Amino acid sequence: MSDTLERLAEVLEARKRADPDSSYVAKLYAKGLDAILKKIGEEATETVMAAKDGAPDKIVYEVADLWFHSMVLLAHQGLGPERVLAELERRFGLSGLEEKARRGSQ
């Protein structure tokens, strides 16, 4: 599964050097951080609406869009999916309440 994220991360890195007229992602990069954040907000809202509708295929489709645009943000900021996966791994086995308490004390 993480192989897909790694391959996507490689493509997103390559798009940083692409002509904005040749690629949707290159165009997003050219528009800058605010455009990327706006797109993530839109995708998050669409994910919520899909969940409220209760249609499993629509939920999966919208979450894929949200993840994709989150990956665009990571790449834009010079981060990769391995950082997020490492953070999830770090949290694995912690209760949500314990994790929240740790964040509050930092």
Side-chain angles (χ1 to χ4, degrees):
M1 182 173 9
S2 66
D3 184 51
T4 301
L5 295 178
E6 290 171 17
R7 289 190 343 247
L8 177 56
E10 290 172 6
V11 170
L12 294 176
E13 279 299 315
R15 294 295 189 268
K16 288 180 177 180
R17 297 176 296 282
D19 179 347
D21 291 331
S22 71
S23 159
Y24 167 76
V25 172
K27 189 173 291 190
L28 262 181
Y29 287 147
K31 289 181 180 178
L33 182 61
D34 286 346
I36 295 168
L37 296 176
K38 180 179 177 188
K39 194 62 186 169
I40 290 173
E42 290 171 9
E43 298 303 341
T45 299
E46 290 171 5
T47 299
V48 169
M49 292 168 49
K52 293 286 275 180
D53 290 345
D57 290 343
K58 193 172 178 182
I59 294 168
V60 168
Y61 182 88
E62 295 302 343
V63 168
D65 279 351
L66 180 57
W67 284 15
F68 176 83
H69 288 91
S70 295
M71 293 276 297
V72 171
L73 171 64
L74 288 171
H76 184 267
Q77 300 290 21
L79 302 168
E82 70 281 352
R83 297 277 301 268
V84 177
L85 293 172
E87 176 61 15
L88 289 172
E89 182 64 29
R90 184 190 69 76
R91 294 180 188 185
F92 198 81
L94 292 177
S95 76
L97 295 175
E98 182 180 356
E99 171 59 24
K100 189 172 181 177
R102 283 185 179 185
R103 280 186 275 148
S105 65
Q106 293 179 353

